[in-house]
């Protein structure tokens, strides 16, 4: 599967991608939520998971030219999430994906904490149902560069749901 994004100007970008693997039924989107902040080291926001064979992916995107952005911890309902992959480009654009099988049902907080305060920080949570609870995600893929178009190739199979996080900054 090839994912493409196009921007109007030449930008620095980082992108991370993973695919949900199906269980006995077709993988389906459950819910999405997000938060952003300026000059912050953490974000806390509510996300609601429903259904059976749940899986939660949290994407993090950060930028700072003084410190190197990096995820310290990420939790959902107080349960630590596993890092699926991360990417830091030469211009300090940072993206990461974190995952959690069988997250708690209901509205709970996602708490993303970075190692230091970031000039810009964003996060999104995406949950899906009918996800294989043992081999929940496929192979992580990422890309970076400076261009108007982004392309990331990710391995996926029929009935898998692909999730991504993209971060870019305008080159001036």
């Amino acid at each position: 599967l090839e994912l493409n994004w196009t921007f109007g100007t030449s930008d620095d970008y980082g992108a991370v991608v993973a695919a949900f693997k199906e269980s006995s039924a077709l993988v389906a989107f459950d819910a999405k939520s997000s938060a952003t902040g300026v000059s912050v080291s953490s974000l806390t926001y509510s996300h609601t998971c429903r259904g059976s064979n749940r899986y939660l992916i949290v994407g993090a995107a950060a930028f700072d030219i003084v410190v190197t952005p990096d995820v310290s911890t990420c939790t959902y309902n107080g349960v630590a999430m596993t890092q699926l992959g991360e990417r830091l480009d030469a211009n300090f654009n940072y993206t990461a994906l974190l995952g959690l099988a069988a997250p708690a049902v209901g509205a709970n907080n996602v708490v993303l904490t970075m190692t230091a305060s970031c000039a810009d920080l964003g996060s999104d949570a995406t949950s899906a149902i009918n996800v294989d609870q043992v081999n929940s995600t496929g192979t992580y893929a990422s890309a970076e560069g400076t261009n108007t178009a982004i392309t990331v190739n990710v391995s996926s199979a029929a009935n898998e749901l692909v999730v991504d996080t993209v971060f870019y900054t305008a080159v001036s």
Side-chain angles (χ1 to χ4, degrees):
L1 173 66
E2 183 176 284
L3 301 177
N4 296 288
W5 303 266
T6 303
F7 302 102
T9 60
S10 181
D11 299 313
D12 290 334
Y13 69 82
V16 290
V17 181
F20 291 113
K21 293 193 169 288
E22 69 178 326
S23 61
S24 59
L26 185 64
V27 172
F29 171 81
D30 173 37
K32 183 173 178 62
S33 56
S34 62
T36 60
V38 175
S39 298
V40 296
S41 61
S42 67
L43 294 173
T44 300
Y45 58 100
S46 181
H47 182 80
T48 302
C49 291
R50 297 172 285 270
S52 59
N53 292 320
R54 298 170 308 284
Y55 196 84
L56 175 65
I57 283 188
V58 170
F63 170 78
D64 197 289
I65 59 172
V66 177
V67 299
T68 302
D70 193 17
V71 171
S72 174
T73 61
C74 186
T75 62
Y76 177 72
N77 193 35
V79 178
M81 299 184 73
T82 301
Q83 189 169 93
L84 303 175
E86 64 181 343
R87 187 76 179 229
L88 176 67
D89 74 10
N91 294 308
F92 305 102
N93 295 304
Y94 174 82
T95 52
L97 286 177
L98 302 107
L100 179 63
V105 173
N108 295 289
N109 282 339
V110 172
V111 180
L112 173 67
T113 304
M114 305 299 286
T115 55
S117 183
C118 299
D120 294 302
L121 180 60
S123 178
D124 56 12
T126 303
S127 52
I129 59 171
N130 302 324
V131 177
D132 184 312
Q133 297 295 287
V134 177
N135 298 304
S136 303
T137 62
T139 303
Y140 159 85
S142 68
E144 67 177 78
T146 302
N147 206 330
T148 58
I150 299 173
T151 300
V152 179
N153 292 300
V154 61
S155 298
S156 68
N159 302 324
E160 291 182 350
L161 177 66
V162 176
V163 176
D164 66 346
T165 295
V166 176
F167 186 91
Y168 75 94
T169 54
V171 176
S172 50

